[in-house]
Amino acid sequence: YSGDKWETSQGEDKYRRGLYTFWRRSNPHPAMTTFDAPSREFCVLKRSRSNTPLQALNILNDPAYVECAQALARKIAARPERDVERRVQFAFRTCLARAPRPDEQQRLARLYERERLNFEQNPRAAEQLATSELGPAPAGLNLAELAAWTVVANVLLNLDEMMTKG
C-alpha cells in the first residue's frame, strides 16, 4: 500500500468534475465503489444498476453532498417570496424539472416546518448543518430556516428521480 489518502481538494480544484478524481485500481475512491463504478480494467459499455442503503447514506452524509444541499438551501432561502409552498415548488422544480404533486409538496412543507421548529430549539445544530461545508451563512438569513431548507434540499437530492436518468 502506497499510503495514498483521499483528501478533498482546496481552492479552485475543489469544484472540478469527478472525472478528474485520482484513481488507483487497488484503492478506488469509496464513493466510486459505493456507486458501482467499473474497475477500469476493461471497457464497460453499460453500467450495472444497483441500489443499496450505502448509496443513500452516502448521499445524505458525504460532505460533498451536504455542501450541495447547503448551496441549494441558500438559493431557496434567498427567494423573495416568504410562502413555504412556493419555495418548495421552486426547490422541487430546480431539482426535478417538474412541479411537485400535491402530496409531495405537502410532505416537503411539513418536513420544513418540523425541522425549522427543531432547529429553533437547537441553534447550535442549526448553525452546524447550515454552515459546516460552505462557511458562514449570508447576512440576513435565519440559521434555523437555512438548516431546515438544507434538510429539505438533502431529501430532494437523494430522490431516485434526481439521482438516475429516466
Side-chain angles (χ1 to χ4, degrees), residues 1 10 14 23 26 44 47 54 61 75 92 96-98 110 118 121 126 134 149 153 157 163 166:
Y1 175 66
Q10 301 298 316
K14 184 174 181 176
W23 189 275
S26 61
V44 176
R47 298 276 303 270
L54 293 176
N61 298 304
K75 283 186 174 188
F92 205 93
L96 302 175
R98 69 172 178 87
R110 279 195 314 262
N118 177 43
Q121 300 298 315
L134 286 181
W149 283 120
L157 294 173
M163 294 302 297

Side-chain angles (χ1 to χ4, degrees), residues 1 14 32-33 35 48 55 79 83 86 91 93 101 117 120 148 150 153:
Y1 175 66
K14 184 174 181 176
M32 300 286 194
T33 302
F35 287 94
S48 61
Q55 292 173 348
R79 299 289 297 172
D83 182 50
R86 297 220 19 223
R93 195 174 289 280
R101 293 187 311 264
L117 292 172
E120 284 175 354
T150 301

